């Protein structure tokens, strides 16, 4: 089981897949060339696209794509436990691990047929099309989600805080491209994970063991925004702020900033 036993927050244990279970949405598709890095590893941004896609597929199959079409992700946590490599077949399983009346947490487990494993959990908020605010999920929809979980009072709690510019290890521009913008006129969720891939390219030692990456979203990034990535590396022994379970390891944070406004915050650490 991913995570650290008995932990919550950044080190929470993700719910194991209740398999076999009729309400676990289970699909397969091939890993293609655009999904992998130069070494053939399934990238985090590509995995996030697949996580979005299977969510859309499940919503459509459940029959709620017309009544509940708009969702925003507030947090995504992904564990890279063992690399999934090029030309493998992906098995994607998705199920609910917690509900409230306006949001839910959804787990997605990605297995490679030849080996490799990524685990994820995302906090999704149902959005009203007119008000653009959180909307109540229909009772019959929640009833279906709750078939795989007994958590029915899910609450939002942020795990991460923005890093300051004053003590940053690095601040760099991250230009927003036209192709990064989705149908909602915001930078798509998966693009935030390209920042993670850029960071890992320059710190490849992080890929020598299983790692957990978490991104929390505070506000949307628009095409005209001047996005900067503010990096902090917190060495072992100085990481109490992230929870006592992480005191013995290095934690890196990446703050996605536009001027003085924080758009998102990410963390990376070895499991």
């Amino acid at each position: 089981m991913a995570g650290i036993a008995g932990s919550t927050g950044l080190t929470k244990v993700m719910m194991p897949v209740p398999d076999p279970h009729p309400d676990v949405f289970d699909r397969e598709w091939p890993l293609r060339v655009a999904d992998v890095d130069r070494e053939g590893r399934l990238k985090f941004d590509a995995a996030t696209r697949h996580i979005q896609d299977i969510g859309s597929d499940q919503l459509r199959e459940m029959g709620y794509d017309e009544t509940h079409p708009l969702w925003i992700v507030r947090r995504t946590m992904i564990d890279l436990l063992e690399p999934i490599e090029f030309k493998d077949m992906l098995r994607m399983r998705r199920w609910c691990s917690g509900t409230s009346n306006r949001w839910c947490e959804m787990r997605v487990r990605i297995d490679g047929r030849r080996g490799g494993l990524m685990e994820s959990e995302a906090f999704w908020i149902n959005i009203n099309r007119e008000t653009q605010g959180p909307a109540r999920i229909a009772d019959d929809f929640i009833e279906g989600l709750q078939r795989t979980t007994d958590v029915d009072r899910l609450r939002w709690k942020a795990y991460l805080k923005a890093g300051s510019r004053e003590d940053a290890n690095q601040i760099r521009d991250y230009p927003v491209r036209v192709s990064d913008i989705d149908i909602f006129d915001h930078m798509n969720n998966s693009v935030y994970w390209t920042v993670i891939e850029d960071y890992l390219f320059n710190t490849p030692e992080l890929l020598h063991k299983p790692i957990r990456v978490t991104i929390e979203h505070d506000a949307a990034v628009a095409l005209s925004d001047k996005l900067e990535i503010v990096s902090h590396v917190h060495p072992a022994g100085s990481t109490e702020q992230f929870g006592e379970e992480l005191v013995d390891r290095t934690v890196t944070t990446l703050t996605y900033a536009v001027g003085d406004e924080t758009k998102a915050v990410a963390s990376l650490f070895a499991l």
Side-chain angles (χ1 to χ4, degrees), residues 35-174:
D35 297 332
V36 298
D37 68 4
R38 297 185 303 171
E39 304 298 324
R41 170 186 58 85
L42 171 60
K43 299 180 296 181
F44 278 95
D45 57 308
T48 307
R49 289 196 304 272
H50 293 313
I51 290 167
Q52 290 178 158
D53 289 345
I54 194 172
S56 297
D57 290 353
Q58 184 180 20
L59 190 69
R60 183 171 57 252
E61 183 151 315
M62 291 176 70
Y64 294 105
D65 55 324
E66 295 294 333
T67 59
H68 296 69
L70 301 181
W71 296 78
I72 63 169
V73 64
R74 191 69 200 276
R75 174 172 53 233
T76 305
M77 178 180 286
I78 300 180
D79 292 348
L80 172 56
L81 299 173
E82 184 179 346
I84 303 174
E85 298 180 347
F86 183 45
K87 295 187 178 180
D88 206 344
M89 180 69 69
L90 302 180
R91 182 186 184 189
M92 312 276 294
R93 282 175 284 181
R94 188 176 194 262
W95 71 97
C96 181
S97 56
T99 64
S100 184
N101 58 10
R102 288 175 170 81
W103 46 72
C104 60
E105 280 188 327
M106 301 298 295
R107 286 272 286 109
V108 176
R109 177 184 170 108
I110 310 176
D111 289 271
R113 184 180 290 176
R114 302 200 305 260
L117 173 62
M118 298 180 80
E119 296 272 20
S120 75
E121 184 172 70
F123 191 107
W124 291 96
I125 301 176
N126 183 41
I127 298 298
N128 180 284
R129 191 192 301 270
E130 283 71 37
T131 68
Q132 296 297 299
R136 185 178 180 87
I137 304 171
D139 290 343
D140 55 343
F141 191 175
I142 290 180
E143 181 182 351
L145 294 175
Q146 289 177 340
R147 292 175 190 146
T148 55
T149 180
D150 57 5
V151 177
D152 59 3
R153 295 182 182 274
L154 179 67
R155 297 182 183 275
W156 168 257
K157 181 180 179 181
Y159 299 159
L160 294 166
K161 293 181 180 179
S164 68
R165 294 176 179 273
E166 287 71 24
D167 61 351
N169 291 92
Q170 182 187 63
I171 301 175
R172 66 187 186 94
D173 293 340
Y174 203 84

Side-chain angles (χ1 to χ4, degrees), residues 30 61 69 82 94 120-121 125 144 177 193 208 214 231 267-268:
E61 183 151 315
E82 184 179 346
R94 188 176 194 262
S120 75
E121 184 172 70
I125 301 176
R177 305 164 302 178
W193 291 84
H208 294 167
T214 303
S231 306
S267 68
L268 305 87

